[in-house]
């Protein structure tokens, strides 16, 4: 497991989320250690994140972050010409943004899991009722970036 999570602002930008979108009941699929759930919940949003990594404790996830973070950045630096450095200008800044998002997640995880905002589960079978959410967000899961109404996601995955 190599935890790698994006920030609230990155979620807003990559999904082009409007204030109306943020008022919907959202499922974040494969959110991992992203900071989106934590900040949106604090701002009054209704979001549940589902990811297999939530079966682990925050201590175990932090251990994996500490064990893999430097290596991921080192590999990114080795392939830096394959990335566009427009929004995030450098590998060092990328590290700061990612670590800040993952720290935000770690600080929220225990309470969020107790509140049912972080649910352990995996595609293709998710532990939710049909039409339980208005909007499903799923990013960087097998290099996929999609925004689908729930009905489409469930029909695609069976
Ligand atoms: C690269 S991380 C991306 C995290 C977050 N979406 C983001 O953009 O910051 C990919 C995540 O997908 C999760 N994942 C892998 N297989 C999955 C599956 N079958 N169902 C749901 N999540 C899965 C991983 O545990 C990991 O947290």
């Amino acid at each position: 497991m190599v935890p790698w999570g994006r920030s609230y602002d990155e979620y807003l930008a990559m999904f082009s989320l409007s204030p109306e979108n943020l008022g919907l009941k959202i499922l974040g699929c494969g959110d991992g250690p992203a900071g989106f759930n934590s900040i949106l919940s604090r701002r009054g949003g209704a979001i549940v994140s589902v990811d297999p990594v939530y079966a682990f404790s925050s201590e175990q996830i932090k251990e994996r972050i500490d064990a893999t973070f430097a290596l991921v950045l080192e590999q990114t630096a080795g392939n830096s010409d394959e990335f566009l450095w427009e929004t995030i200008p450098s590998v060092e800044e990328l590290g700061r943004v990612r670590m800040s998002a993952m720290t935000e997640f770690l600080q929220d995880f225990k309470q969020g899991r107790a509140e049912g905002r972080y649910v352990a589960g995996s595609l293709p079978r998710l532990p939710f009722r049909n039409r339980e959410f208005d909007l499903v967000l799923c990013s960087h899961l097998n290099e996929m970036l999609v925004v689908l109404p729930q009905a489409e996601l469930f029909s695609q995955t069976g």
Side-chain angles (χ1 to χ4, degrees):
M1 190 230 307
V2 179
W4 200 238
R6 285 167 185 78
S7 70
Y8 180 81
D9 287 341
E10 287 178 287
Y11 264 61
L12 291 192
M14 71 185 166
F15 291 118
S16 300
L17 294 173
S18 66
E20 289 71 32
N21 294 152
L22 295 174
L24 297 173
K25 189 165 183 203
I26 298 175
L27 176 66
C29 187
D31 273 348
F36 185 67
N37 186 318
S38 174
I39 293 186
L40 183 60
S41 300
R42 206 155 63 228
R43 295 182 181 177
I47 175 165
V48 172
S49 298
V50 62
D51 195 296
V53 98
Y54 303 151
F56 296 95
S57 67
S58 50
E59 290 76 14
Q60 287 171 314
I61 298 171
K62 182 174 182 329
E63 241 173 63
R64 290 302 300 157
I65 292 172
D66 292 342
T68 58
F69 183 74
L71 182 64
V72 174
L73 283 188
E74 194 183 306
Q75 289 177 349
T76 307
N79 299 313
S80 65
D81 53 339
E82 293 179 28
F83 292 80
L84 289 176
W85 298 100
E86 289 166 358
T87 314
I88 296 177
S90 65
V91 175
E92 293 70 29
E93 183 59 15
L94 176 69
R96 276 191 287 277
V97 171
R98 291 285 177 278
M99 187 51 95
S100 164
M102 293 193 284
T103 303
E104 175 72 45
F105 161 80
L106 285 173
Q107 287 169 350
D108 181 53
F109 182 56
K110 235 174 234 173
Q111 185 185 337
R113 194 163 64 171
E115 292 173 358
R117 289 189 287 109
Y118 296 106
V119 175
S122 302
L123 287 169
R125 298 232 155 258
L126 299 181
F128 305 110
R129 292 187 314 278
N130 207 10
R131 303 201 171 279
E132 198 172 327
F133 299 93
D134 304 314
L135 180 68
V136 178
L137 305 177
C138 181
S139 86
H140 298 87
L141 202 172
N142 298 329
E143 308 306 318
M144 271 195 334
L145 176 102
V146 289
V147 183
L148 294 174
Q150 175 182 281
E152 282 181 43
L153 180 69
F154 277 75
S155 68
Q156 284 196 353
T157 61

